[in-house]
Amino acid sequence: MPDTFKDGNVPYAVRAYSPEVLLAALKKMMLIRKFEEGAEDSYTRGLIHGTMHLSIGQEASAVGSCMSLTDEDKITSTHRGHGHCVAKGADLGKMFAEFFGKETGYCKGRGGSMHIADPAKGNLGANGIVGGGLPIAVGAALSAKRLGTGAVTVCFFGDGANNEGAFHEALNMAAVWKLPVVFVCENNKYGMSTSTERSTAVKNIADRSASYSMPGVTVDGNDFSAVAEAVDAAVERARSGEGPSLVENVTYRWRGHSKSDRNRYRTKEEIAEWMERDPIATMAAMLIDHKIIDQDGVAALEAETTQIIKDAITFASGSPDPDVSEATRDVYTQEAAA
Amino acid sequence: MNMQAKPTLRELSYAEAIREAMDIALSQDERVILMGEDIGVYGGAFQVTGDLVEKYGTDRVMDTPISELGGAGIAVGAALTGLRPIFEFQFSDFAALAMEQIVNQAAKVRYMLGGAVSVPLVMRFPAGSGTGAAAQHSQSLEAWLGHVPGLKVVQPSTPEDAKGLLLAALEDPDPVMIFEHKILYKMKGPVPEGYYTTPIGKAAIRRTGKDVSIIATSIMAQKAMTAAETLAGEGIDAEVIDLRTVRPMDRETVLASVRKTGRLLCVYEGVKTLGVGAEISAMVAESDAFDFLDAPIIRLGGAESPIPYNPELEKAVVPQVPDILDAARGLLKGRI
C-alpha cells in the first residue's frame, strides 16, 4: 500500500497535482459514471442492441491510472473499457454514437462497445478477448523503445485475464526486453461469475510480478490518490528505461458482468458494502477536505457533466446510420483487395 | 522453375532469396524488425534468417521466447504503432498457438476500428510435409487463414517469388501471411538482383496449354510442371497456373484458363475437404467458365488424415506427380 498519507496527512494526489488537474479528474470520473448510466438507460429503452460491460464503481482506477499520460502515450483496454476511453480523453458524443451503431461513432458503427478506440489520443482500443490487449500493449512498448519516442503504454486488464496464457507471455517478454509498459490489473473480484479465490492460485494478482522480476503493488482501486501514486511511479520507472511494473487496483463493479447477469454468485450485502465505498464520493470528499472544491462546486460539476452526457446522447441519436452498402468497407486498407 | 526468368540471372535457393528480401528490407527501412524463435545466432530452424543478426544486431533480429501467442501479439502491437515486423513461426503448425492474435486481432483491428488504423504485419510460416516430422510439424494450414477476411495469404513456389512476395508483403498496409514450403527452401532458381516486388493477388501462368488447366499451389506448382512435361510427350497440352495467392484469389487468370481449356484440375497439399481447391472449383462453377467445362472438375488434395511419419505413408497422403498424371489423363479420356 503506498504511503498516501505521509507529509502531514496530505494525500499524494493533492501534493502531486494542481487543483485544476484534480477537478478535471473528478469531472472525468463523473463523466464515466454518467456515460455508463446513460448507456444503461438507452439500452433499457431499446436504443442500443448487443450487450455492454459496465465499470460503474471502478472510475478511480481508470482515471487515476492515466494521470501522467500524454496523447503520445498509449493504452490498451478491455471489454469493460468505457472508463479508460474517457480517462484518455475520448469525445463522449462519438462514444455514444458508437454505442448507437452510428456512422459518426469512433468505429463508424462497426465496433460497438467492445471495440471503441481513439488512436489520436493514444487509445489503441478496447478488446473483446480477455487478455487480447496484453501482448498488443507490449508491442506498442516495443515500438516506443525501438523508435525512441519516449512513450509509455498502460495496459489495462481484469483479474480474469491474469489466468490467460497471453498475460504470462506478455509480462515475461516485457521484462526480458525491459520495455516501457505498465500492467494495470483492475481486480474487480470476479471473472464473470468466478471469484479470484476460486480462479487464482496467488492471494494478490500483483504477486505474479515476482515471476517476471518486476515490481508489483496492490492498491485500493477505489482510492484515486492511491491508484495515481502507484501508477505514476510505474510510468516514471517505465519512461526512464527501467522496464515494466504491475499495479493491481482492487475494485468492484456494481453492475453485473453484462446484461445477462443475474448476480447469483455474490450477495446483496457484498454489493452494498462496496457501494458504500463509492470512488467518486471518496474523491469529492478528499477535494472538499483540502478545500479544492466545496459542496456547491461538486453540485455544479454534477450538473455540468449531466448536461454533457445529455448533449452527447442528442448528438448520437441524431447521427446517420452507416450505409448498408458499405458493410464490408475497411476490411482492407486498399479496398481493391479480396 | 520460373519460365520467364532470363538464364543470365544468378541462382539462389528459396531460403537465400527470402533472406535477401529481409536483408534489403532491414537495410532500407529502420522500422523493419524480425521476430521469431531461434532466428538469431541459430539462424532459424531452417536457416532462413541465417547470419542476419550479425549484420543488424539483436535489437532488429529478435529471438523471442517460445511464446507464439505473446510473440504474435507483440508483433501486432508493434505493427499498429509504427514498426514493420516480420514474424517467423518456427513451423506453420505452431500458428495454432497464436490464432487468437492472428484471427481476432491482426485481421480485425482495422475493421473493428472503422478504418482508423492499419496492421502492416508480415508473418512467415514454414509449412508442408516431406521432412519426416510427422503430424504436428508438417501441415498445410493456408486455408485456415485464407478463410479470414482482413488477412492476405500467399504461397510462393519459386525463389524469385519468395523474394518478390515478401517485399510486396512489406509494402502492403495489411497483414500478409506467407506460407513457405519447407521442401522448397533448398531449391535453387534464378532470382533478380536488388529490389522488386511480386504482386499479391496475381497468379502466374507457368506453362501455357490448351487441353487442361492445372491450378496448383506452392510445391504442387513444381510437381504440376514436372507432370506437364510428361503429359506433353503423350500429346496432352497442360496449362499450369501457380496460384501464388490464396487470398485474394486471382479470379481472372483462373477463369480465363478454364474457358480456354475446358478442363480443371486443382492440386494442393492441404487437406482436400474445405480446402483451397474447393474454393477454386466453386469459383469456376459459379461463373460463366462453368459453361466451358467438358469434364467434371478434379481436386487433388491432402488425404483426410494427419501427416504420418513413415516416408512411404507420408508420400501417400499428399498428391504426387503420378497422381497428377492419372488425373489429367482421366480428364482427357475420350476428349471431344
Side-chain angles (χ1 to χ4, degrees):
Chain A
M1 191 72 74
D3 189 4
T4 302
F5 292 100
K6 67 181 176 192
D7 288 351
N9 285 346
V10 179
Y12 165 82
V14 176
R15 284 181 276 125
Y17 310 121
S18 68
E20 292 71 31
V21 168
L22 288 168
L23 291 174
L26 176 62
K27 183 175 166 183
K28 274 185 179 171
M29 289 167 70
M30 289 178 175
L31 284 171
I32 296 169
R33 174 76 52 92
K34 290 175 200 293
F35 174 85
E36 295 204 314
E37 287 170 347
E40 196 172 35
D41 178 60
S42 303
Y43 182 87
T44 312
R45 290 193 287 121
L47 294 170
I48 294 176
H49 84 148
T51 188
M52 68 181 77
H53 306 90
L54 301 176
S55 66
I56 293 175
Q58 304 184 183
E59 297 86 351
S61 172
V63 177
S65 298
C66 294
M67 290 305 288
S68 54
L69 303 185
T70 70
D71 288 354
E72 301 309 309
D73 296 316
K74 312 293 185 203
I75 65 165
T76 60
S77 172
T78 72
H79 58 287
R80 204 174 303 287
H82 310 140
H84 311 140
C85 226
V86 175
K88 201 71 172 61
D91 176 89
L92 280 297
K94 288 172 82 174
M95 284 180 72
F96 265 114
E98 189 55 36
F99 253 87
F100 288 18
K102 302 292 190 176
E103 187 70 29
T104 54
Y106 266 110
C107 312
K108 304 194 168 77
R110 271 72 169 177
S113 161
M114 273 191 286
H115 302 295
I116 296 179
D118 187 7
K121 295 276 187 188
N123 178 359
L124 297 176
N127 209 305
I129 305 294
V130 171
L134 279 145
I136 293 173
V138 178
L142 176 65
S143 286
K145 184 172 182 180
R146 170 93 218 108
L147 300 170
T149 64
V152 170
T153 303
V154 166
C155 170
F156 289 102
F157 61 101
D159 48 282
N162 108 96
N163 294 316
E164 288 279 9
F167 165 85
H168 296 273
E169 294 185 17
L171 266 71
N172 183 57
M173 281 183 269
V176 167
W177 296 328
K178 244 182 161 180
L179 297 177
V181 53
V182 178
F183 299 101
V184 174
C185 179
E186 299 189 308
N187 178 358
N188 63 17
K189 319 282 271 180
Y190 297 90
M192 217 160 147
S193 69
T194 308
S195 67
T196 50
E197 287 78 14
R198 292 169 60 216
S199 69
T200 302
V202 290
K203 184 165 183 292
N204 297 306
I205 289 165
D207 296 348
R208 302 269 203 215
S209 64
S211 304
Y212 305 107
S213 298
M214 66 176 77
V217 59
T218 302
V219 303
D220 178 353
N222 283 14
D223 177 347
F224 169 84
S225 184
V227 170
E229 182 168 21
V231 180
D232 281 1
V235 168
E236 177 53 33
R237 183 171 185 277
R239 221 184 281 287
S240 61
E242 291 172 62
S245 308
L246 171 56
V247 177
E248 176 185 11
N249 297 335
V250 179
T251 182
Y252 199 80
R253 58 169 156 76
W254 293 5
R255 300 295 195 267
H257 161 75
S258 67
K259 300 316 295 178
S260 67
D261 191 336
R262 291 177 296 166
N263 265 323
R264 284 185 160 186
Y265 51 89
R266 52 186 195 175
T267 62
K268 287 197 177 70
E269 292 72 26
E270 181 183 291
I271 298 169
E273 194 180 305
W274 276 92
M275 287 176 76
E276 285 298 305
R277 300 172 51 194
D278 180 351
I280 297 177
T282 306
M283 170 74 158
M286 177 181 78
L287 298 188
I288 291 169
D289 270 2
H290 292 276
K291 311 218 179 314
I292 291 163
I293 195 170
D294 58 17
Q295 285 292 3
D296 289 348
V298 172
L301 212 48
E302 291 278 3
E304 185 192 343
T305 49
T306 300
Q307 189 58 46
I308 291 171
I309 296 300
K310 232 174 156 177
D311 293 346
I313 292 175
T314 304
F315 166 78
S317 48
S319 285
D321 287 318
D323 187 336
V324 173
S325 71
E326 293 187 327
T328 60
R329 192 188 62 200
D330 294 326
V331 177
Y332 293 95
T333 306
Q334 290 158 346
E335 290 299 327
Chain B
M1 311 314 121
N2 190 312
M3 307 313 283
Q4 283 114 24
K6 295 187 187 75
T8 51
L9 289 174
R10 84 253 152 89
E11 295 217 323
L12 291 182
S13 75
Y14 185 91
E16 287 165 344
I18 295 166
R19 187 183 317 139
E20 185 168 275
M22 294 193 288
D23 194 354
I24 290 170
L26 284 160
S27 68
Q28 289 188 351
D29 188 345
E30 274 293 313
R31 300 171 304 168
V32 173
I33 57 165
L34 312 187
M35 298 176 69
E37 292 161 8
D38 308 295
I39 65 166
V41 288
Y42 195 97
F46 297 97
Q47 294 300 310
V48 177
T49 46
D51 56 5
L52 287 174
V53 70
E54 287 170 30
K55 197 165 166 188
Y56 298 101
T58 53
D59 281 350
R60 297 188 69 200
V61 181
M62 299 176 67
D63 278 325
T64 68
I66 303 172
S67 302
E68 287 83 3
L69 171 63
I74 291 170
V76 173
L80 268 171
T81 51
L83 294 180
R84 309 292 302 228
I86 303 174
F87 187 88
E88 176 182 302
F89 283 90
Q90 195 157 80
F91 286 80
S92 67
D93 313 68
F94 305 166
L97 291 151
M99 285 301 263
E100 196 287 289
Q101 284 291 333
I102 300 171
V103 175
N104 289 325
Q105 312 292 341
K108 295 181 175 57
V109 175
R110 176 176 174 78
Y111 183 83
M112 293 188 302
L113 270 52
V117 295
S118 292
V119 185
L121 169 66
V122 177
M123 289 183 153
R124 299 181 33 246
F125 303 82
S129 66
T131 64
Q136 296 172 336
H137 292 73
S138 302
Q139 296 169 88
S140 297
L141 300 174
E142 55 280 352
W144 279 17
L145 299 187
H147 196 66
V148 183
L151 301 179
K152 296 180 183 178
V153 181
V154 302
Q155 288 185 281
S157 79
T158 67
E160 178 178 351
D161 284 355
K163 178 179 168 185
L165 282 168
L166 179 51
L167 290 171
L170 277 166
E171 278 187 8
D172 200 289
D174 297 315
V176 180
M177 311 286 113
I178 305 179
F179 282 79
E180 300 163 357
H181 202 292
K182 298 190 287 278
I183 295 298
L184 296 177
Y185 278 135
K186 289 188 174 154
M187 184 193 73
K188 291 206 169 219
V191 176
E193 309 253 4
Y195 190 92
Y196 67 92
T197 58
T198 301
I200 294 170
K202 193 89 194 85
I205 302 170
R206 299 293 184 200
R207 183 185 194 285
T208 54
K210 58 178 177 29
D211 293 334
V212 55
S213 299
I214 306 179
I215 317 289
T217 61
S218 188
I219 196 170
M220 292 302 158
Q222 301 290 348
K223 292 188 181 180
M225 286 300 287
T226 305
E229 294 314 308
T230 304
L231 291 170
E234 300 171 13
I236 296 175
D237 188 15
E239 177 144 300
V240 177
I241 293 179
D242 177 356
L243 196 60
R244 297 201 292 200
T245 301
V246 169
R247 173 184 276 272
M249 215 174 260
D250 184 352
R251 184 183 160 84
E252 304 301 316
T253 302
V254 171
L255 297 187
S257 179
V258 173
R259 281 187 208 109
K260 179 171 69 173
T261 66
R263 292 175 181 83
L264 172 60
L265 170 57
C266 308
V267 194
Y268 53 109
E269 184 167 329
V271 171
K272 179 179 166 182
T273 303
L274 296 167
V276 171
E279 188 55 40
I280 298 167
S281 306
M283 193 169 78
V284 169
E286 286 175 340
S287 77
D288 69 292
F290 179 76
D291 296 330
F292 292 78
L293 286 176
D294 294 323
I297 295 167
I298 293 181
R299 285 179 293 153
L300 286 179
E304 307 300 315
S305 113
I307 302 291
Y309 166 65
N310 173 286
E312 292 309 313
L313 297 183
E314 187 180 18
K315 274 187 222 153
V317 298
V318 299
Q320 303 297 338
V321 173
D323 302 318
I324 301 172
L325 292 172
D326 287 349
R329 288 170 189 142
L331 279 173
L332 270 297
K333 212 166 166 187
R335 74 166 84 184
I336 300 157

